[in-house]
Amino acid sequence: MVSEGTMTDSYRIHGETGEWEVVVGLEVHAQVTSNAKLFSGASATFGAEPNTQVSLVDAAMPGMLPVPNGECIRQAVRTGMAIDAEINRWSRFDRKNYFYADLPQGYQISQLYHPLVGEGAIEIEDGNVTKVIGVERIHVEQDAGKLMHDQHPTRSYVDLNRSGVALMEIVSRPDMASPAQAGAYLRKLRAILRYVGSCDGNMEEGSMRADVNVSVRKPGAELGTRTETKNVNSVRFVMATVEHEARRQVGVIEGGGTIVQETRLFDPDKGVTRSMRSKEDAHDYRYFPDPDLLPLELDDAFLEACRASLPELPDAKRKRYEKAGVTRYNADVLTAEVETARWFDALVETGAPAGPASNWVTSELFGALNRVGKTIADSPVAPAQAAELLALVADGTLSGSLAKQVFEVMLETGDAPAKIVEDRGLKQTSDTGAIEAVIAEVIAKNSGQLAQYRGGKEALFGFFVGQTMKATGGKANPAVVNQLLKAALQG
Amino acid sequence: MSVEPATVKRIASLARIAITDEDAQRLAPELDNIMGWIEQLSEVDTTGVEPMTAVIPNTLRLRDDVVTEGGIRDLLMKNAPEAEHGFFTVPKVIE
Amino acid sequence: MVDLTDLGVAAIRDGVREGDFTARSVAEAFVAKVAKAKLLNAFIVETPDHALAAADAADAARAAGEVPKPLAGVPIGMKDLFCTKGTATTAASRILEGFVPPYESAVSERLFNAGAGMLGKLNMDQFAMGSSNETSAFGNVISPWRRKGADGIGSNAALAPGGSSGGSSAAVSARLCPGATGTDTGGSIRQPAAFTGISGIKPTYGRCSRWGTIAFASSLDQAGPMARDVRDLAIMLEAMAGFDARDATSLQLDVPGWEAGLSGDLKGKRVGIPKEYRVDDMPEEIDALWQQGIAWLRDAGAEIVEVSLPHTRYALPAYYIIAPAEASSNLARYDGVRYGLRDLPAGAGLQDMYAATRADGFGAEVKRRILIGTYVLSAGFYDAYFTQAAKIRTLIARDFEQAWARCDVLLAPTAPSAAFALGKKSADPLAMYLNDVFTVPSSLAGLPAMSVPGGVDKDGLPLGLQIIGKPLDEQGVLNAGLAIEQRAGFVAQPEAWW
Ligand SMILES: [Mg+2]
Ligand SMILES: [Zn+2]
């Protein structure tokens, strides 16, 4: 469902001269999951000793040539397919020329004129409304190396381990209208990348970072001049960047100034953006086709294999869950992270009914994981064990509260629920004779309350239920207790 | 004429080649002469002609995703004018 | 006793195989010749140990009864554009001063694996940019050739050996090595070969791996051999060519047996004469040689047809956009950080260091081309210059394709003049660029092309004829070259004055 304007796009900056709209576009750099770099056979893994994952090609030694890594192309194509984008069967690599110490070749191999992936779209939720954010393109390019400025009084240190690592640059349309939408887009994009397996989405390690393009305008006016805040590395910071940068721009314009198109940096400590003078001079990149590389042409078989390898994606999964009786809220929660969705799928595959299973996962399991500080990926309880537990509830063996007790034991011991029920005698009882005997006792002990109840204070019913459950050690079937109590109390 | 000394200075700065004003004065007419000669290309009607992308018909081969290189830090640093603690070093950059 | 340095590649190979002489004696003879030829300035680095070690290996292998390698016992010269492991490689530029590659270029590796030894690294135009070998940071190469006046008395004026493979051409023609490697971007093998009375072939783009060869203009650069005759070229090219997965533009094809396929019989072949190569101010002697070449090929059994390559006149200006554009980017890596020269003026920042290093390290012609290349790619000019040139390149390639419907090879002069005096054109870049007018079109189209000596001019200086072939038809090119060689009977050689 697509909704335009009013509801989702109601975010406004309240300036002195009235209200301002915010226009946001994101260029996300996502590191492609691969063993080796985009154009060399050096490892692309994170965290190695400086300059140990550098080939002759990455260090731009004279006469060295790039040869593309097929896996990086495949992952970018799969990503494009996951956002329903046009895949360009004919694409080409270009050189982006500039001089910097993290760029040994003096150019970055990228794709300007003919990117691998064209127009696509990503659906986001803003509140309870769905909005479609356009993706203009995805192209494949090399990452740069890393500079360290704090190791030496007069020198910067150059580490080329990242030099040449494959990135996808995912360029959105300026379709976001608030910090919340920018955040939702980035979270959704990250989820998709992780479902597809084309990027690990690890923002702390720099696997994903966003260039945030922000401009402001009076409602309905032409687009304003934008600024680009580079390399923002968390959802929270992206939202803060949008918010701060929009306010700053409104302040500048209302103060009689104009916005200059420039590159800015987000300072997470101060929560503000500032101009990045060091990149000012680098605007003329002199792009041209890389003469070391031929055009990249993809055939049907390659594209078919890419398509066939795509997993079920978050939106499709969510819809399927909803159809199976999961609430919209639970479905959103369960599909937000690929590990959660996989865990839930495994649970449902064992036959557990989706609705109750989703409630159990989002409340009981998440609560427990929170308490023990674990993620679902290393959950101490496996989907099959959870299925067993839910089956015991479904067939009446366990009440809700008994199930909680059993689950606690499962978390501690890792034992199977049936064994726990057996060992600890936690089985729920529906034996009416036994329950009636307990009820008789409870009534006898509480004659005062009985009189009040019979005198019209019906709220005391809960008191009798509680006393009965307590007396049975929680094992009595609550439905049976209710039914028998009602009869007994009426006398 | 089109290539002025100021243009030469701008281009030289883009190419990171330090030049003096005298260099720029000297190079401007020289480059202008060359560019003027190159200008004759504009008389060719290239409507509907695709720019050449591969000299000899050939398609791009893709490499397997295998780590085959790395661990040659000392070798890489051997020719470096300046290196320290396993890093190449450059004058301090203020970002 | 025979002077071993009078022998070519095939003769040395065969003589070593037959045991007529040892590889060691061959290597020693050439090493001595190289050592005595300092005046030519053909070598930047001499590597006698490499040549001698390869020779000893060849002799030992023969003694052990092993199957001889294709180039066992043949010492060669290596253009300094090829990175050689453990041997300084500078592309004749100060910016690579002190650079010792920790890797071996694909071409030199193939040659060494074939048994060849290396006599040294040959001087050249800096980064292969030049047509006279006057742009080297290590001084001009002097051609071994000298003019003879009408009275038969020689002149002392130093002549250009051609460029950019001028060290290669000078060394081969002065018999300092039987064969050498060259690279050809717009004529850098063929033009110096023509200037010095030797043969040289640029194969189809993609035949020789570019891996480890210092790049000038990637879409044009091709390695090829330079030697005294066509057979020697075939032998060397077989060793140099071949698929290399490390070069994305390398052709995944088997290397034909070019030597075995040599034949000067052109019956059934058609030779095209491109009428647009008859330029207005072509010296009469060049035209006369061209006519003579036509007669020789007809005599070899070929049918002669006139063909048209209508975009020929635009090839050179298009080349002077494409090659500098690619070069401006290829040479960005020479920044004083990882190898070579670093000029760090006091208090300079990173970008100042780049600018100072590159101003100091690059020669004038290299800077000129970097500036041209930067200019044509810069904002607002890209489409008008680079894209237009790339489209014209398509038209030039199309011209050739249409010609192939009418003929098998093309015959043209290699260069518009004989060797000129050093210094004569170095002040006028445009006049220098015009040297490549006949060689550049086939470079832009990636075609195989060679130069063979056809005769001498009135001053006794060599003139070359050029054969251009269809993509991958090096055999057709070599065979037409052989037909000329057999009829030209070119035996002139420079008198040793050095
Ligand atoms: Mg960006
Ligand atoms: Zn990018």
Side-chain angles (χ1 to χ4, degrees):
Chain A
M1 196 179 50
V2 182
S3 153
E4 300 284 320
T6 51
M7 276 204 68
T8 55
D9 294 353
S10 57
Y11 180 84
R12 292 287 183 277
I13 303 274
H14 305 283
E16 286 164 14
T17 61
E19 307 220 307
W20 295 80
E21 288 179 355
V22 182
V23 179
V24 184
L26 295 183
E27 294 163 27
V28 173
H29 285 94
Q31 181 180 337
V32 180
T33 302
S34 65
N35 300 315
K37 293 183 180 179
L38 180 54
F39 292 113
S40 86
S43 170
T45 51
F46 178 81
E49 283 289 295
N51 290 308
T52 56
Q53 294 183 165
V54 183
S55 75
L56 297 169
V57 176
D58 308 323
M61 299 301 271
M64 292 299 104
L65 300 171
V67 181
N69 180 341
E71 176 63 8
C72 302
I73 305 302
R74 194 181 79 89
Q75 290 292 23
V77 167
R78 293 175 73 244
T79 304
M81 288 172 166
I83 60 163
D84 274 325
E86 222 177 295
I87 307 299
N88 294 321
R89 289 160 164 273
W90 193 98
S91 67
R92 205 175 59 181
F93 289 100
D94 301 304
R95 291 184 183 176
K96 177 182 183 178
N97 295 284
Y98 64 95
F99 288 88
Y100 203 56
D102 62 7
L103 192 72
Q105 284 82 357
Y107 54 83
Q108 176 196 35
I109 305 179
S110 180
Q111 298 187 300
L112 176 71
Y113 297 108
H114 299 274
L116 183 56
V117 178
E119 295 267 353
I122 291 177
E123 277 188 13
I124 62 165
E125 326 299 326
D126 182 16
N128 45 15
V129 180
T130 301
K131 187 179 180 188
V132 175
I133 307 297
V135 170
E136 191 184 305
R137 58 190 283 153
I138 302 178
H139 64 254
V140 177
E141 63 183 23
Q142 303 174 289
D143 204 352
K146 214 176 116 191
L147 294 186
M148 271 159 275
H149 307 300
D150 49 5
Q151 312 281 313
H152 190 286
T154 63
R155 291 287 182 268
S156 291
Y157 282 9
V158 185
D159 176 9
L160 298 179
N161 277 351
R162 287 197 70 86
S163 164
V165 165
L167 302 177
M168 293 179 278
E169 181 170 332
I170 303 152
V171 183
S172 86
R173 294 266 173 216
D175 286 349
M176 287 153 273
S178 67
Q181 289 183 7
Y185 171 82
L186 193 57
R187 274 195 304 270
K188 186 62 173 286
L189 174 59
R190 181 174 176 276
I192 292 170
L193 296 174
R194 287 166 51 77
Y195 270 72
V196 170
S198 57
C199 170
D200 67 18
N202 191 333
M203 298 191 84
E204 298 80 62
E205 290 181 1
S207 298
M208 247 182 111
R209 58 222 198 230
D211 297 344
V212 186
N213 290 292
V214 177
S215 63
V216 296
R217 62 175 170 190
K218 286 290 175 72
E222 295 282 291
L223 281 178
T225 303
R226 66 185 168 87
T227 62
E228 180 179 14
T229 305
K230 289 264 187 204
N231 287 333
V232 185
N233 66 353
S234 80
V235 173
R236 198 158 56 86
F237 292 163
V238 165
M239 294 172 68
T241 297
V242 173
E243 176 144 19
H244 169 268
E245 186 51 22
R247 283 184 197 288
R248 187 191 68 85
Q249 290 184 11
V250 167
V252 169
I253 298 168
E254 292 189 333
T258 47
I259 302 303
V260 280
Q261 188 165 343
E262 63 176 351
T263 303
R264 301 180 68 86
L265 262 185
F266 179 73
D267 181 339
D269 299 328
K270 301 200 182 96
V272 300
T273 67
R274 62 178 165 85
S275 187
M276 209 176 160
R277 305 261 170 242
S278 62
K279 299 260 163 148
E280 280 315 273
D281 166 57
H283 283 315
D284 195 344
Y285 291 125
R286 290 157 286 134
Y287 280 98
F288 78 110
D290 191 322
D292 285 331
L293 295 163
L294 296 154
L296 174 60
E297 291 174 73
L298 303 178
D299 59 22
D300 289 338
F302 185 88
L303 296 179
E304 279 315 306
C306 286
R307 201 173 287 286
S309 74
L310 280 184
E312 187 184 32
L313 294 161
D315 289 340
K317 232 185 236 300
R318 196 196 66 220
K319 283 172 195 151
R320 178 165 64 80
Y321 290 175
E322 282 186 87
K323 246 191 209 145
V326 177
T327 63
R328 173 62 189 256
Y329 176 81
N330 278 354
D332 276 343
V333 171
L334 291 170
T335 53
E337 285 287 346
V338 65
E339 283 85 2
T340 312
R342 290 207 182 115
W343 206 98
F344 182 67
D345 281 338
L347 174 57
V348 173
E349 260 165 43
T350 62
S358 74
N359 289 330
W360 183 83
V361 170
T362 54
S363 56
E364 300 301 322
L365 179 63
F366 282 6
L369 291 172
N370 246 335
R371 279 202 309 281
V372 298
K374 290 196 167 167
T375 67
I376 200 152
D378 47 29
S379 163
V381 172
Q385 292 173 297
E388 225 182 286
L389 179 67
L390 290 173
L392 292 172
V393 175
D395 72 7
T397 308
L398 291 177
S399 64
S401 63
L402 278 178
K404 276 185 213 284
Q405 291 182 44
V406 172
F407 183 50
E408 286 304 321
V409 182
M410 288 167 70
L411 285 171
E412 264 168 45
T413 63
D415 284 348
K419 181 174 184 300
I420 296 167
V421 169
E422 200 54 47
D423 291 356
R424 313 207 173 190
L426 288 174
K427 201 171 205 146
Q428 166 175 280
T429 176
S430 304
D431 177 341
T432 49
I435 295 171
E436 272 169 344
V438 174
I439 287 174
E441 249 175 69
V442 168
I443 288 177
K445 269 193 215 155
N446 297 288
S447 51
Q449 281 84 348
L450 179 67
Q452 285 180 28
Y453 179 83
R454 286 189 176 159
K457 203 172 176 191
E458 290 191 3
L460 282 169
F461 186 70
F463 165 79
F464 286 104
V465 171
Q467 291 299 308
T468 309
M469 291 305 289
K470 197 175 164 190
T472 62
K475 282 179 250 172
N477 181 329
V480 176
V481 169
N482 274 2
Q483 197 196 338
L484 296 177
L485 249 181
K486 227 160 235 169
L489 288 172
Q490 265 151 26
Chain B
M1 290 248 93
S2 57
V3 186
E4 303 289 341
T7 315
V8 176
K9 292 206 83 168
R10 182 176 60 82
I11 294 299
S13 150
L14 261 182
R16 294 298 183 276
I17 295 175
I19 61 167
T20 61
D21 288 344
E22 296 81 71
D23 290 337
Q25 291 289 345
R26 179 178 50 77
L27 280 163
E30 203 176 278
L31 294 183
D32 192 64
N33 188 32
I34 295 168
M35 293 315 298
W37 167 71
I38 286 174
E39 209 58 60
Q40 62 181 295
L41 290 182
S42 63
E43 70 195 45
V44 182
D45 180 5
T46 53
T47 323
V49 179
E50 285 297 316
M52 181 184 274
T53 50
V55 188
I56 292 296
N58 196 355
T59 46
L60 190 57
R61 284 181 317 275
L62 299 175
R63 231 178 58 238
D64 288 340
D65 185 26
V66 187
V67 175
T68 54
E69 295 163 281
I72 52 167
R73 180 162 76 185
D74 294 347
L75 218 57
L76 291 173
M77 307 262 154
K78 223 171 179 166
N79 283 290
E82 221 185 71
E84 218 171 85
H85 310 304
F87 294 93
F88 298 103
T89 62
V90 296
K92 203 182 208 42
V93 181
I94 293 109
E95 277 183 325
Chain C
M1 163 142 187
V2 59
D3 180 351
L4 292 173
T5 63
D6 275 338
L7 302 179
V9 172
I12 293 169
R13 174 196 65 185
D14 295 344
V16 169
R17 277 185 194 181
E18 296 304 316
D20 299 343
F21 40 77
T22 62
R24 175 95 197 174
S25 60
V26 174
E28 281 172 348
F30 280 107
V31 164
K33 210 92 190 254
V34 168
K36 272 190 287 191
K38 306 281 192 223
L39 285 177
L40 297 178
N41 200 27
F43 285 84
I44 296 174
V45 182
E46 292 172 22
T47 56
D49 293 345
H50 191 288
L52 294 171
D56 289 344
D59 289 334
R62 185 174 183 279
E66 288 170 20
V67 178
K69 291 179 176 177
L71 286 172
V74 181
I76 59 168
M78 192 69 68
K79 187 177 183 179
D80 202 31
L81 208 59
F82 296 93
C83 287
T84 41
K85 192 173 181 170
T87 300
T89 302
T90 61
S93 181
R94 280 241 302 135
I95 206 150
L96 272 171
E97 208 158 63
F99 175 60
V100 180
Y103 49 92
E104 192 67 56
S105 81
V107 163
S108 53
E109 182 167 55
R110 280 177 173 274
L111 285 163
F112 297 154
N113 286 343
M118 176 169 70
L119 288 158
K121 299 300 290 289
L122 291 159
N123 204 346
M124 54 182 280
D125 275 305
Q126 189 165 152
F127 282 102
M129 297 175 188
S131 305
S132 62
N133 221 304
E134 290 170 283
T135 71
S136 168
F138 301 97
N140 300 340
V141 176
I142 318 290
S143 173
W145 290 83
R146 290 190 157 172
R147 275 197 191 103
K148 288 190 183 73
D151 51 10
I153 298 183
S155 146
N156 285 332
L159 298 179
S164 66
S165 307
S168 308
S169 65
V172 172
S173 66
R175 308 281 202 264
L176 309 185
C177 50
T181 57
T183 62
D184 191 314
T185 302
S188 279
I189 286 175
R190 291 162 283 165
Q191 184 257 17
F195 274 21
T196 57
I198 65 166
S199 298
I201 183 167
K202 174 194 96 72
T204 309
Y205 181 83
R207 275 283 195 206
C208 289
S209 168
R210 293 182 296 113
W211 194 91
T213 305
I214 294 175
F216 162 15
S218 311
S219 75
L220 294 150
D221 296 343
Q222 263 299 290
M226 299 168 76
R228 298 228 303 274
D229 65 28
V230 173
R231 176 170 301 271
D232 289 0
L233 293 185
I235 294 169
M236 284 186 72
L237 187 57
E238 276 183 44
M240 293 164 72
F243 174 65
D244 183 358
R246 299 170 298 177
D247 174 0
T249 62
S250 172
L251 293 167
Q252 198 157 7
L253 296 169
D254 290 337
V255 178
W258 286 308
E259 186 191 11
L262 284 177
S263 160
D265 180 358
L266 302 188
K267 266 196 266 323
K269 297 288 178 191
R270 287 169 303 170
V271 175
I273 309 302
K275 62 177 185 195
E276 289 80 7
Y277 281 50
R278 189 158 287 118
V279 293
D280 289 343
D281 46 2
M282 188 190 287
E284 206 187 302
E285 286 174 301
I286 302 274
D287 193 38
L289 177 71
W290 195 4
Q291 297 311 314
Q292 178 64 69
I294 291 171
W296 285 331
L297 292 180
R298 192 178 280 127
D299 179 62
E303 183 193 335
I304 307 297
V305 294
E306 188 180 76
V307 297
S308 174
L309 302 171
H311 296 90
T312 298
R313 59 179 293 216
Y314 299 109
L316 203 55
Y319 172 87
Y320 273 94
I321 289 176
I322 291 164
E326 293 182 9
S328 71
S329 177
N330 282 337
L331 271 60
R333 66 187 54 198
Y334 305 104
D335 60 6
V337 176
R338 296 163 313 285
Y339 39 76
L341 186 77
R342 165 179 287 196
D343 186 349
L344 181 57
L350 176 70
Q351 300 294 343
D352 297 331
M353 178 187 88
Y354 290 156
T357 300
R358 292 162 60 79
D360 259 22
F362 289 136
E365 181 60 23
V366 174
K367 286 189 228 179
R368 188 179 290 123
R369 296 204 197 185
I370 290 175
L371 292 178
I372 294 171
T374 305
Y375 183 74
V376 299
L377 290 177
S378 66
F381 293 115
Y382 173 75
D383 278 326
Y385 288 119
F386 191 87
T387 308
Q388 176 75 350
K391 288 178 175 175
I392 287 168
R393 199 172 175 185
T394 300
L395 292 173
I396 287 164
R398 204 176 283 170
D399 285 355
F400 281 110
E401 264 161 51
Q402 282 160 3
W404 302 137
R406 307 201 52 225
C407 64
D408 301 296
V409 292
L410 296 164
L411 176 71
T414 306
S417 73
F420 44 83
L422 288 172
K424 191 178 170 206
K425 298 187 180 183
S426 48
D428 181 355
L430 210 46
M432 189 67 88
Y433 297 169
L434 290 168
N435 258 292
D436 297 333
V437 64
F438 298 139
T439 48
V440 153
S442 46
S443 292
L444 288 172
L447 302 172
M450 77 179 293
S451 180
V452 282
V456 295
D457 72 356
K458 62 182 184 319
D459 295 325
L461 296 182
L463 298 171
L465 281 168
Q466 183 181 203
I467 316 283
I468 300 166
K470 299 174 187 172
L472 307 178
D473 189 22
E474 284 80 7
Q475 192 73 67
V477 172
L478 290 165
N479 286 354
L482 182 63
I484 290 174
E485 181 181 281
Q486 287 166 345
R487 286 160 184 80
F490 184 89
V491 291
Q493 53 169 299
E495 268 168 50
W497 51 262
W498 53 89

